[in-house]
Amino acid sequence: MARILVTGGTGYIGSHTVVELMQSGFEVLIVDNLSNSNIQVLDGIEKIVGRRPDFAQLNVADLPKMRELLEKYTDIVAVIHFAASKAVGESVEKPLLYYRNNVLSLVNLLEVMKERGITNLVFSSSCTVYGQPSKEHLPVDETAPIQPALSPYGNTKQINEEIIRDEAHADSSLNAII
């Protein structure tokens, strides 16, 4: 059976995605540093699905540990990337933390994916990439123009979208959805 790597898989959206994937017959490997969640989420997933997903507690920004982990899991066919620092206010107070974690995590993930021949990526972006929406684009949808980010968090999501576009342009084997 195909295995999906879900970064940030013990977070709210990540854990619900894991449940859906497992109920659809996929094997799942969760990578999460538990900075925005807790390990008990795995108990909840197991209670719902009847089995526990594989789990590794580590930060996606740690390239050597990500390489080591993906050497063990050779059956990964896709990645869903939720892992990120996510508080707008905190990002204003600690911008370097957000750039290091959010941008470096994606760069490392893309690098390891390329090394392992994993070509499918779903990236969880944010509506913050649209900045302050104009009245013509309310409610905000994917047709709204991208505006300058209003926070370092939003800027990391904009930068990550650009990185994915650039990498997909350079490597036609990368199938990415933002």
Side-chain angles (χ1 to χ4, degrees), residues 127 130-141 144-145 147 150:
C127 68
Y130 299 107
Q132 184 64 40
S134 65
K135 292 178 185 174
E136 300 84 45
H137 283 95
L138 290 176
V140 174
D141 63 19
Q147 303 289 334
L150 299 176

Side-chain angles (χ1 to χ4, degrees), residues 23-170:
Q23 288 178 332
S24 297
F26 290 96
E27 296 297 322
V28 174
L29 168 61
I30 295 173
V31 172
D32 202 307
N33 67 3
L34 301 175
S35 64
N36 291 315
S37 60
N38 65 66
I39 196 71
Q40 287 77 27
V41 170
L42 297 175
D43 297 333
I45 293 170
E46 184 175 23
K47 185 176 180 182
I48 294 167
V49 179
R51 65 188 199 283
R52 200 172 188 89
D54 289 350
F55 174 77
Q57 183 176 347
L58 63 94
N59 190 326
V60 182
D62 187 334
L63 184 58
K65 287 188 180 175
M66 284 298 294
R67 281 189 172 126
E68 182 181 320
L69 180 68
L70 268 61
E71 286 175 12
K72 296 177 188 174
Y73 287 90
T74 59
D75 58 346
I76 295 171
V77 297
V79 175
I80 302 175
H81 185 44
F82 292 114
S85 297
K86 61 180 181 161
V88 170
E90 181 184 57
S91 79
V92 173
E93 296 170 9
K94 301 175 183 177
L96 295 179
L97 172 90
Y98 276 69
Y99 287 108
R100 182 180 304 110
N101 188 57
N102 294 1
V103 176
L104 185 57
S105 292
L106 176 70
V107 170
N108 287 350
L109 187 58
L110 288 168
E111 191 170 324
V112 174
M113 287 174 63
K114 189 171 205 144
E115 292 168 2
R116 304 303 306 170
I118 303 166
T119 59
N120 301 302
L121 173 67
V122 175
F123 175 68
S124 178
S125 192
S126 169
C127 68
T128 61
V129 301
Y130 299 107
Q132 184 64 40
S134 65
K135 292 178 185 174
E136 300 84 45
H137 283 95
L138 290 176
V140 174
D141 63 19
E142 290 82 2
T143 65
I146 296 197
Q147 303 289 334
L150 299 176
S151 69
Y153 166 73
N155 200 32
T156 66
K157 291 298 188 170
Q158 285 181 345
I159 291 166
N160 281 352
E161 287 190 10
E162 292 171 6
I163 290 169
I164 292 167
R165 282 188 202 98
D166 289 345
E167 184 60 20
H169 179 75

